Amino acid sequence: MTALLSLLKTIEASSQQLYERLILEKQALDARQYEQLAELAVEKQALVDQLQALNQQRSASFSGEDFNAFISNSKNSALIEQWNNTRDIMRKGQQQNEVNGRLLNKLNQINQEVIEILSGREKQASQTYNAQGEQD
């Protein structure tokens, strides 16, 4: 169990690093610092690759299908606490990644609309409404 505890601590540390990169990515998106986004993308990918390798080690470290049940059934309080901490930071990272993804999609959409306007391929204004409030 000591090896598994150590592995979970490593996963938590890598997840924390990824979360911190995601926070920096959000700040770069807000400030439209696109050069920094490219640098962060490389760092994030390296951390994701590392986490995937660690997750494979984690999966190989127990026999069974449900890792959560495996940890709970271990009755090892240090292991249970570490797994809870690890899951919490992973959850925060996932949520931040979703926020960043939505923001990136919105910025991309805005950029695409600007390009269409500048290139003369402006969309027709089909978002007008008649007196009944229906779209024309």
Side-chain angles (χ1 to χ4, degrees):
M1 290 290 178
T2 315
L4 182 56
L5 182 60
S6 176
L7 178 60
L8 291 179
K9 287 180 181 181
T10 303
I11 293 171
E12 179 187 15
S14 294
S15 297
Q16 180 65 40
Q17 289 175 346
L18 180 58
Y19 176 70
E20 290 167 2
R21 294 312 177 283
L22 289 165
I23 294 296
L24 291 173
E25 180 182 62
K26 171 71 166 66
Q27 293 168 350
L29 284 167
D30 288 343
R32 293 187 169 76
Q33 296 174 334
Y34 301 114
E35 300 82 23
Q36 187 179 6
L37 287 174
E39 294 170 15
L40 288 169
V42 171
E43 293 175 19
K44 282 180 8 184
Q45 187 59 53
L47 288 165
V48 167
D49 292 345
Q50 180 182 4
L51 282 166
Q52 286 176 333
L54 291 168
N55 191 49
Q56 287 175 345
Q57 290 178 17
R58 179 190 64 85
S59 296
S61 68
F62 78 102
S63 59
E65 294 181 17
D66 186 1
F67 191 73
N68 290 321
F70 173 77
I71 294 294
S72 294
N73 293 336
S74 74
K75 306 294 187 217
N76 182 324
S77 60
L79 196 59
I80 293 168
E81 181 179 352
Q82 183 58 54
W83 179 234
N84 288 336
N85 292 342
T86 302
R87 286 189 313 172
D88 286 345
I89 191 62
M90 289 175 12
R91 195 173 304 116
K92 285 173 59 176
Q94 182 180 13
Q95 290 169 346
Q96 188 62 52
N97 191 51
E98 290 171 5
V99 167
N100 292 2
R102 286 191 300 272
L103 180 56
L104 192 57
N105 285 337
K106 184 64 176 172
L107 290 173
N108 190 31
Q109 179 184 12
I110 290 169
N111 287 341
Q112 194 61 37
E113 290 172 1
V114 168
I115 288 170
E116 288 175 3
I117 291 170
L118 293 175
S119 65
R121 294 180 289 174
E122 193 173 346
K123 291 182 181 177
Q124 296 297 321
S126 62
Q127 299 293 329
T128 59
Y129 296 89
N130 61 22
Q132 289 76 34
E134 300 168 345
Q135 266 188 330
D136 287 334

